[in-house]
Amino acid sequence: MPKTPPPELVPERIQDIDLESEMQGSFLEYAYSVIYSRALPDARDGLKPVQRRILYQMAEMGLRPERGHVKSARVVGEVMGKLHPHGDSAIYDALVRLAQDFALRVPLVDGHGNFGSLDDGPAAARYTEARLAAPAMALTENLDEDVVDFVPNYDGQFQQPAVLPAAFPNLLVNGASGIAVGMATNMAPHNLIEVVAAATHLLENPDATTEELMEFVPGPDFPSGGILMGLDGVKDAYTNGRGALKVRGKVSVEPLGPRRTGIIVSELPYMVGPERLIEKIRDAVQAKKLQGISDVTDLTDRNHGLRVAIGIKTGFDPNAVLEQLYRLTPLEDSFSINNVALVDGQPRTLGLKEMLSVYVAHRLEVITRRSRYRLARREERLHLVEGLLIAILDIDEVIQVIRSSDDSEQARTRLRSVFDLSELQAEYILELRLRRLTKFSRIELESERDALLAEISALTELLGSDVLLRAAVARELDAAADAYGTPRRTLLMNAAPPKPRATKGAVDLQIADAPTVLVLSTTGRAVRVDLGEGQELAVPARRSKHDAILATARTTVRSDIGALTSEGRVLRFSPVDLPSVPATSVQLAAGTPLRDYLGITTRGERILGFVRFDSDTPIALGTAQGTVKRIVPRTLPVRPDLEVIGMKPGDTVVGAMEAPDDADLVFVTTDAQLLRFSASAVRPQGAPAGGMAGVKLGSGAAVLFFGAVGAGAGGEAVVATVSGGESVLPGTDPGRAKVSVFAEYPAKGRGTGGVRAHAFLKGEDRLTVAWVGPGPAQAVDPTGAVRKLPETGARRDASGQPIDGVIGSIGRTLV
């Protein structure tokens, strides 16, 4: 045996290699690996290799939605050991993202445990559990029917799919992001229902343009919602594959407490968390770049979702502060779309039509391969069934042939020659169990044969017709949309956000002291309508909730005004922080409950009207026990909370209104009596006074309505009444209503009983609602929804007409 020479005698082997060529080759190989095997998704199923391997391995492990969760560490170990040898952290990060409902529009993994939030990372894999979500089953279905190609894993021991069948366009629905070498991708998520509609349209119209497809997919639909400002960037992205979007959070201006207004953030731009927003707001306030913010509170929880309350200092315009928030914080964020994906193994920048075309072609291939596989399996089964039927028809001879054969090979050969069977049929008959040789087995086999023939015919027809093939793809897409689709979350705004104005120094965000009109609905909601020079209020084109008006008052934004309550109090306040609505379309549904704004906590205490402290026109008050009083606002003491009438125990104020001497005061009682008399019969009194007798009440009756009708409006005023019964369960019978002309009611003296205003029918014994004022009258139900009243013109003592819904209150229209 020759001896091995010592190391010093082994000749050196030195090979000269050009460094530049070696670096180029190694870098290109690395770049190709990153692009193809890590960073970019496949345009067909929208998945990166690690995501595809996770979903496939979880399906192989049987982690279906109806099964229990398993430890994420177990999933990571299976994927790493069999398919993805790149470390557990990369696999777990991908698994976590597949489970995050704030990252994916349609999550593919059902996670149990702490899978992180926008501001915090997930728990370790040993603490969390996972299983496939139902949509993931649609991505992995039919893998056992030769629908896609399988390729070896990294060491050749296992097989893995090169692409998933993908029953819905996952690339568009969930988007993707990744950084490769020399390129990157950043794709926005979309609404599944809209994307399926576009794909179906493309199936039926292969020559459809991008503009036509955008009628079905108008823009991205982010999991976090938000408002997409401007669609120019969307059109660029759908046409060229690249575009920039502006996304704003969804906010509302709401009262945070008595006389305290705030901005409530309920949705944020995609991948922006509340902690990041709060941090940026605090930084801007400390740097004195942002004014008017008193505090920021994160009220987010599992039950109510995202909710960040931004307190606004008194006197600052919430809308002006909001514009600064958009400019200085992530409340408005940009999203750059770069649709780069792998098509036939090559990275390409894709527009909307290209992405849908690649997916549609993939699904057509999947359905074709699946149909061929099923056709082959059914033909094989039909072949065996036909052989069994031959054997059962002459079973005695079959048994005789088998018994007289020396071995199974001879039996197989004799069966084939005697009964003209194939080798497969003969082998199947030899393995036949005796219990199949019954009458019922023959009937079952004949039924199975007929069913197989029908299925083979349908599959053959499907494979021979492109129209039927496309229709089958469309049906399955619609089924996926029905099963997993959800309504759109992101609101699309066609107008782009206005560019911030160039300003020098600090921006004044305080609300100017301009003329305004306060409007109070009968349901207690109040708004502020700021008027420009020469501008007047306008009636909304369509009626909406809370549009029955109880009171209005002209004042200025920063002046003091009073709110008169049913307890006989006047609460002084400034309307500066009330919600402001445009004069061109006053929507009281946008208002705030004035009780909450004023901090009223007494149960049952209602706001009845406004008091202008600089006015010399007396205010008239009427109580439930029939007392009337007039008081001049200018004579009231300057106090934040002032009693303006001394009432007997149990009495409450039912109405308050400006009432000059030439006006008529009106009482309507629960027993349908209406009293009208001149306001001059009631002399003005001071604040402590208890008023004087107004109306004489019948036994058990109380005042239901009190108001004033001006001298100029008497001819246009109407009386609206609604009758009901005390024994009727509230809300079950709407009752009967009528609207009559106020001029038909004669005037009588103060302290008398009035005249009848409504005739009761059987089962009715009282009025439930009454109102007198300038027509037309506006009725709403207890929730504020508009209700229809009968036409004006009924006799003053008529019984009224049936109505279609319960009326909670009646007021006047805006102008």
Side-chain angles (χ1 to χ4, degrees):
M1 185 174 181
K3 296 183 179 179
T4 304
E8 62 271 9
L9 299 180
V10 176
E12 294 184 355
R13 184 175 179 274
I14 300 175
Q15 183 178 355
D16 292 332
I17 298 175
D18 182 65
L19 182 60
E20 183 178 356
S21 300
E22 178 66 21
M23 291 295 293
Q24 287 180 353
S26 299
F27 185 78
L28 286 175
E29 186 177 348
Y30 165 74
Y32 178 80
S33 175
V34 172
I35 291 171
Y36 185 75
S37 301
R38 294 193 188 184
L40 298 184
D42 192 297
R44 294 170 292 178
D45 60 6
L47 297 171
K48 300 178 185 180
V50 63
Q51 296 171 329
R52 186 180 305 113
R53 291 163 181 167
I54 289 171
L55 297 180
Y56 171 68
Q57 190 59 44
M58 291 180 72
E60 288 293 293
M61 295 169 64
L63 303 181
R64 304 173 59 85
E66 65 271 14
R67 304 282 181 85
H69 296 80
V70 302
K71 286 292 184 180
S72 300
R74 178 183 167 193
V75 176
V76 171
E78 289 284 326
V79 174
M80 182 172 59
K82 293 182 177 180
L83 304 176
H84 195 78
H86 295 290
D88 58 341
S89 61
I91 299 172
Y92 185 55
D93 289 345
L95 174 67
V96 165
R97 189 176 190 277
L98 291 173
Q100 291 175 334
D101 56 1
F102 55 83
L104 299 189
R105 188 62 180 80
V106 179
L108 303 176
V109 170
D110 178 14
H112 185 253
N114 178 16
F115 274 78
S117 67
L118 287 166
D119 297 308
D120 297 307
R126 61 184 179 274
Y127 297 123
T128 62
E129 299 176 343
R131 65 184 177 189
L132 288 177
M137 301 305 299
L139 293 183
T140 59
E141 64 182 358
N142 306 132
L143 279 173
D144 57 346
E145 294 185 291
D146 191 35
V147 291
V148 296
D149 293 332
F150 276 70
V151 296
N153 72 331
Y154 63 92
D155 60 2
Q157 294 188 29
F158 300 99
Q159 294 287 311
Q160 60 183 342
V163 66
L164 293 184
F168 61 85
N170 181 61
L171 182 67
L172 273 165
V173 171
N174 281 324
S177 63
I179 300 175
V181 178
M183 63 186 65
T185 184
N186 197 36
M187 308 179 73
H190 292 77
N191 185 272
L192 174 59
I193 298 174
E194 297 173 354
V195 172
V196 165
T200 303
H201 181 75
L202 190 62
L203 277 165
E204 299 170 353
N205 305 276
D207 297 328
T209 63
T210 300
E211 288 74 15
E212 292 174 358
L213 295 175
M214 285 186 66
E215 295 180 5
F216 300 95
V217 185
D221 186 23
F222 297 106
S224 56
I227 304 172
L228 199 156
M229 306 297 294
L231 301 182
D232 292 340
V234 174
K235 188 171 183 180
D236 291 340
Y238 288 169
T239 305
N240 308 316
R242 294 184 178 182
L245 316 176
K246 288 287 186 182
V247 184
R248 286 182 170 182
K250 185 177 289 187
V251 302
S252 60
V253 178
E254 301 178 10
L256 299 181
R259 311 186 196 187
R260 185 166 176 261
T261 304
I263 296 173
I264 302 298
V265 182
S266 56
E267 294 177 6
L268 284 171
Y270 185 49
M271 301 307 289
V272 174
E275 290 187 10
R276 179 184 164 196
L277 173 68
I278 294 172
E279 181 182 359
K280 292 294 183 182
I281 291 175
R282 287 174 177 166
D283 290 344
V285 171
Q286 291 175 1
K288 301 189 182 302
K289 295 180 180 179
L290 190 55
Q291 307 174 42
I293 292 181
S294 59
D295 58 82
V296 184
T297 307
D298 187 2
L299 304 176
T300 303
D301 58 31
R302 293 178 181 268
N303 296 325
H304 303 93
L306 177 68
R307 185 177 173 86
V308 177
I310 304 173
I312 305 299
K313 293 180 180 178
T314 301
F316 281 79
D317 185 355
N319 294 315
V321 175
L322 184 58
E323 289 301 321
Q324 298 297 308
L325 287 170
Y326 286 141
R327 185 171 63 88
L328 298 172
T329 72
L331 194 57
E332 177 181 286
D333 202 10
S334 61
F335 186 89
S336 297
I337 293 180
N338 187 23
N339 295 330
V340 178
L342 295 175
V343 180
D344 297 328
Q346 302 296 322
R348 284 179 51 189
T349 302
L350 306 173
L352 176 63
K353 182 177 180 180
E354 288 80 7
M355 287 188 285
L356 287 172
S357 297
V358 171
Y359 173 76
V360 166
H362 173 58
R363 280 305 290 178
L364 288 171
E365 182 183 359
V366 166
I367 300 302
T368 300
R369 292 181 60 162
R370 186 185 68 186
S371 300
R372 288 174 181 165
Y373 178 87
R374 291 178 177 178
L375 178 61
R377 299 292 83 75
R378 280 150 183 76
E379 288 177 341
E380 291 174 2
R381 178 60 184 169
L382 178 63
H383 185 62
L384 297 177
V385 169
E386 288 175 340
L388 282 178
L389 285 172
I390 293 173
I392 289 178
L393 287 174
D394 202 355
I395 190 62
D396 293 334
E397 187 174 355
V398 169
I399 295 174
Q400 180 62 34
V401 168
I402 296 173
R403 292 187 63 184
S404 60
S405 300
D406 295 334
D407 53 28
S408 61
E409 183 62 32
Q410 184 182 14
R412 186 184 302 109
T413 303
R414 293 180 63 191
L415 284 173
R416 292 184 62 186
S417 62
V418 173
F419 296 100
D420 192 21
L421 300 175
S422 69
E423 185 174 352
L424 286 175
Q425 289 174 326
E427 181 66 29
Y428 195 64
I429 291 171
L430 285 173
E431 296 176 357
L432 183 69
R433 294 186 178 184
L434 292 177
R435 65 182 180 184
R436 296 292 304 273
L437 306 178
T438 63
K439 178 181 178 181
F440 292 106
S441 293
R442 178 182 173 184
I443 295 174
E444 292 172 1
L445 287 171
E446 289 176 344
S447 299
E448 185 180 358
R449 178 196 61 192
D450 296 339
L452 287 170
L453 287 171
E455 291 180 16
I456 289 171
S457 175
L459 288 169
T460 304
E461 186 180 6
L462 176 66
L463 289 169
S465 171
D466 183 66
V467 174
L468 292 178
L469 196 63
R470 290 176 177 271
V473 174
R475 280 196 306 273
E476 295 190 9
L477 282 171
D478 289 337
D482 292 340
Y484 313 120
T486 54
R488 166 171 280 277
R489 297 176 186 174
T490 300
L491 178 66
L492 301 179
M493 299 289 288
N494 194 25
K499 294 182 179 179
R501 294 174 295 177
T503 57
K504 294 183 179 180
V507 181
D508 186 9
L509 305 181
Q510 297 193 41
I511 302 173
D513 191 18
T516 190
V517 175
L518 302 186
V519 183
L520 177 66
S521 72
T522 58
T523 53
R525 289 184 174 266
V527 295
R528 194 187 79 230
V529 186
D530 297 341
L531 301 177
E533 187 174 351
Q535 194 176 22
E536 294 293 334
L537 296 180
V539 179
R542 295 177 60 186
R543 291 289 173 209
S544 62
K545 275 193 170 186
H546 313 287
D547 272 352
I549 307 303
L550 177 62
T552 61
R554 287 183 175 267
T555 180
T556 61
V557 173
R558 291 183 168 274
S559 64
D560 282 348
I561 197 164
L564 200 153
T565 77
S566 57
E567 296 298 318
R569 297 191 299 157
V570 171
L571 305 178
R572 186 182 293 262
F573 72 98
S574 173
V576 65
D577 288 325
L578 280 176
S580 177
V581 297
T584 54
S585 180
V586 180
Q587 297 291 336
L588 281 162
T592 185
L594 194 56
R595 273 177 50 94
D596 297 343
Y597 182 80
L598 298 177
I600 295 176
T601 58
T602 305
R603 187 172 182 178
E605 186 172 8
R606 300 183 299 115
I607 309 296
L608 302 176
F610 297 117
V611 176
R612 295 186 300 172
F613 296 111
D614 59 350
S615 175
D616 292 318
T617 303
I619 299 289
L621 296 81
T623 73
Q625 295 180 6
T627 301
V628 64
K629 177 182 179 179
R630 284 205 303 163
I631 188 169
V632 179
R634 192 181 290 275
T635 64
L636 293 175
V638 180
R639 296 178 191 169
D641 185 347
L642 174 70
E643 290 191 4
V644 292
I645 182 172
M647 293 185 293
K648 298 177 182 178
D651 200 4
T652 59
V653 179
V654 295
M657 193 176 295
E658 284 191 347
D661 288 346
D662 58 354
D664 283 340
L665 302 183
V666 184
F667 282 95
V668 181
T669 64
T670 54
D671 58 353
Q673 297 296 305
L674 184 148
L675 175 63
R676 167 186 178 184
F677 59 90
S678 175
S680 60
V682 182
R683 70 179 187 280
Q685 297 176 307
M692 57 189 70
V695 62
K696 183 178 180 181
L697 297 175
S699 176
V703 174
L704 185 62
F705 170 84
F706 172 80
V709 177
E716 302 176 355
V718 297
V719 178
T721 52
V722 181
S723 60
E726 188 174 1
S727 59
V728 177
L729 188 66
T732 59
D733 184 7
R736 303 173 70 87
K738 77 176 185 69
V739 182
S740 53
V741 178
F742 176 68
E744 294 186 1
Y745 294 82
K748 299 184 70 175
R750 179 180 62 81
T752 59
V755 298
R756 186 166 65 177
H758 197 112
F760 295 137
L761 299 181
K762 184 177 180 180
E764 300 176 343
D765 55 11
R766 63 189 179 92
L767 293 182
T768 58
V769 183
W771 180 81
V772 181
Q778 179 69 63
V780 295
D781 68 9
T783 68
V786 174
R787 292 293 184 189
K788 188 176 180 181
L789 287 169
E791 296 292 332
T792 304
R795 297 195 327 270
R796 66 179 177 85
D797 58 349
S799 58
Q801 301 177 19
I803 50 179
D804 59 357
V806 175
I807 292 177
S809 58
I810 303 175
R812 62 182 176 87
T813 56
L814 192 58
V815 294

